[in-house]
Amino acid sequence: MNKKIMSWSIIAAFAGFLFGFDTVVISGADKTLQALWHSTDFFHGSVVMAMALWGTVIGAIFGGIPTNKLGRKKTLLLIGLLFATSALGTSLANSPWVFAFFRFVGGLGIGASTIAAPGYISEIAPAKDRGRLVGFYQFNIVLGILCAFLSNYLLSDIGENSWRWMLGIQVFPSLIYSFLVFGIPESPRWLLSESKIEEAKEVLQKVFSKDEINQFIEEVNNDNIATPSNENIFMKKYRVPLMLAFLMASFNQLSGINAFLYYAPRIFGEAGLGADVALLSSIGIGFINLIFTMVGVFLIDRLGRKILMYIGSIGYIISLSLVSMAFFFHWTGIFVPIFLFLFIASHAIGQGAVIWVFISEIFPNHLRSSGQSFGSTTHWVLAAIIPSLIPFLFSTIGAGVVFLFFAIMMVFQLVFVFVMMPETKGISLEKLSKILIKK
């Protein structure tokens, strides 16, 4: 693998670290903030906890605009600044509404990053390595999740304002990321779509021979010429990639993954574990997530996307059914953490490793950002709705019913993988367009 492409991919993928850290860091402040501001379960869940997710929805809906208009690189830089602003603002907030506003700003960064970072990497990556390189984004997400759990644990006993340090520490990686983005080039596929041929050649000269550059430009330009500029992803010819993105993103959240990550200590508490044990179990979740994401990234270009989704779907069904039974039959102690570790492993090797790779592959070059925006928006609308309901649902219908619902949804995911999902391993982006688009 070309070292420069590897380096550029790793830097772009670091947006995933900020995504993961920002998503989960709130879990350490969950109950403290509810007690501090005397919030009801509904207000706490839907405003304080979920506002970042609503920001993510807006970032996902509109993130395709700067990604298309400004380019991938400038959008990645903007994302770093949004995360830094959010971290500083939430750490200094003195009311739930100010706190929620700055969490919303961080959500904008998350939503935009799910479009710009995977899209950028998929556009610079060779077909044979694309799954692995885009998989770095997911690896960084789970690394950020682990670091957030670990950071929360280490900062939990430093005083009554420990929650401010938990949230504020993200300023530092955000600024480091923004600095690193200055060193990467713009996506050559985006430059060609903007008719900036000489600039695209300058980028390509760093990684390709002259013959490879000419072949690359010819293939991309032929694809651009064959597709009118006034098209949109909702045209009938794009119904297959549109439906694939919708279902992949929907099932990702109907597994309950974000609900669990946001409320891991609370869920462990519901299972009868003490506060310290709950936080330590959350760190264990982070380690399991990281290890099995590494396995998924290693296998995605070897076994393919579908095989990983089969493994993950079956693991989801088993683990979520066991978690549901544990709450129904009041199994306490070590049972729930073990079942949830299995759930996280199933997610990491399946949906976690595949979703951002798959959605970044299935749309044509000129509609990639719009298609990713649609898939990401679907993902984040559900990611906002489901976690915001968790405190209310746990206190009304109970955790057992909630996890049973997630298990049933994963049966439907298994059917989707078997019936509809195509294999995209090792196929160039331009060839995938020809396969998936129905003229």
Side-chain angles (χ1 to χ4, degrees):
M1 190 186 302
N2 185 283
K3 290 183 179 179
K4 287 186 178 178
I5 291 178
M6 170 82 83
S7 174
W8 301 339
S9 299
I10 290 173
I11 291 171
F14 193 60
F17 178 90
L18 302 176
F19 163 176
F21 195 99
D22 192 84
T23 297
V24 169
V25 69
I26 188 69
S27 68
D30 170 21
K31 291 189 175 181
T32 301
L33 291 176
Q34 186 171 9
L36 177 66
W37 289 319
H38 309 291
S39 305
T40 64
D41 282 347
F42 181 79
F43 179 85
H44 180 67
S46 60
V47 177
V48 176
M49 294 295 287
M51 191 56 71
L53 289 170
W54 290 116
T56 301
V57 171
I58 302 302
I61 292 172
F62 296 105
I65 296 174
T67 306
N68 273 331
K69 300 296 184 183
L70 302 178
R72 284 47 165 160
K73 178 178 177 176
K74 289 180 181 177
T75 305
L76 290 171
L77 179 60
L78 175 63
I79 287 164
L81 299 177
L82 287 172
F83 278 122
T85 301
S86 173
L88 186 62
T90 52
S91 68
L92 298 175
N94 284 314
S95 81
W97 290 108
V98 172
F99 182 89
F101 170 77
F102 283 106
R103 285 290 292 166
F104 181 86
V105 171
L108 294 176
I110 294 175
S113 81
T114 58
I115 299 166
Y120 175 86
I121 299 168
S122 71
E123 290 181 348
I124 65 170
K128 65 183 180 65
D129 298 314
R130 190 173 60 242
R132 210 168 1 147
L133 290 174
V134 180
F136 284 154
Y137 178 71
Q138 179 65 22
F139 172 81
N140 272 276
I141 292 174
V142 299
L143 181 61
I145 289 171
L146 173 59
C147 288
F149 279 138
L150 187 59
S151 174
N152 285 350
Y153 179 74
L154 294 174
L155 294 172
S156 61
D157 292 326
I158 65 171
E160 62 178 340
N161 287 319
S162 60
W163 66 271
R164 297 187 185 275
W165 289 99
M166 290 178 185
L167 293 155
I169 201 169
Q170 193 184 0
V171 169
F172 301 107
S174 300
L175 294 177
I176 291 170
Y177 164 76
S178 300
F179 175 76
L180 291 173
V181 168
F182 278 110
I184 66 175
E186 183 53 85
S187 160
R189 279 187 167 93
W190 180 80
L191 291 169
L192 289 172
S193 72
E194 296 292 305
S195 300
K196 298 180 179 181
I197 297 174
E198 293 305 315
E199 291 180 46
K201 284 183 177 179
E202 288 179 16
V203 176
L204 293 169
Q205 284 169 0
K206 297 176 181 179
V207 293
F208 291 148
S209 68
K210 186 175 181 179
D211 289 341
E212 289 173 326
I213 291 173
N214 292 333
Q215 182 182 349
F216 179 92
I217 292 175
E218 181 181 359
E219 188 173 355
V220 174
N221 280 339
N222 287 341
D223 185 66
N224 290 338
I225 291 170
T227 50
S229 59
N230 62 346
E231 290 189 333
N232 64 75
I233 58 170
F234 298 105
M235 296 175 69
K236 186 177 180 180
K237 62 194 283 188
Y238 298 118
R239 65 186 182 277
V240 172
L242 195 72
M243 183 59 67
L244 290 172
F246 175 80
L247 291 173
M248 179 65 74
S250 297
F251 283 127
N252 183 283
Q253 285 305 301
L254 290 171
S255 70
I257 182 63
N258 261 47
F260 173 66
L261 292 177
Y262 259 58
Y263 295 103
R266 184 183 291 242
I267 291 170
F268 287 130
E270 290 273 338
L273 301 180
D276 288 341
V277 178
L279 276 173
L280 279 173
S281 296
S282 300
I283 295 172
I285 290 295
F287 275 111
I288 294 292
N289 204 359
L290 184 67
I291 291 167
F292 281 90
T293 296
M294 291 170 65
V295 174
V297 170
F298 176 77
L299 294 175
I300 194 168
D301 284 323
R302 291 171 170 81
L303 299 182
R305 288 57 160 158
K306 286 195 71 165
I307 295 296
L308 294 189
M309 286 293 289
Y310 278 128
I311 295 170
S313 298
I314 293 169
Y316 271 148
I317 294 166
I318 295 171
S319 59
L320 287 167
S321 298
L322 288 171
V323 171
S324 178
M325 290 171 65
F327 281 106
F328 276 126
F329 298 113
H330 307 292
W331 299 342
T332 57
I334 200 66
F335 287 106
V336 171
I338 289 176
F339 299 156
L340 287 170
F341 287 169
L342 177 58
F343 167 71
I344 286 293
S346 303
H347 174 80
I349 203 169
Q351 270 275 8
V354 172
I355 180 172
W356 304 119
V357 175
F358 187 74
I359 292 176
S360 72
E361 295 175 320
I362 57 178
F363 292 96
N365 291 326
H366 70 300
L367 293 175
R368 180 161 298 110
S369 294
S370 299
Q372 284 183 264
S373 178
F374 173 79
S376 184
T377 299
T378 303
H379 174 279
W380 289 115
V381 166
L382 289 173
I385 293 171
I386 295 172
S388 68
L389 295 174
I390 288 298
F392 174 74
L393 291 175
F394 275 16
S395 63
T396 53
I397 64 174
V401 176
V402 172
F403 282 107
L404 178 60
F405 170 79
F406 292 144
I408 293 170
M409 289 300 101
M410 292 303 94
V411 174
F412 288 111
Q413 175 178 275
L414 184 61
V415 174
F416 157 70
V417 175
F418 180 74
V419 174
M420 291 186 62
M421 183 181 173
E423 182 54 74
T424 59
K425 178 185 74 169
I427 306 172
S428 74
L429 297 177
E430 288 71 29
K431 288 181 181 177
L432 277 174
S433 293
K434 293 176 183 177
I435 294 169
L436 296 176
I437 294 171
K438 307 300 180 184
K439 300 290 187 182

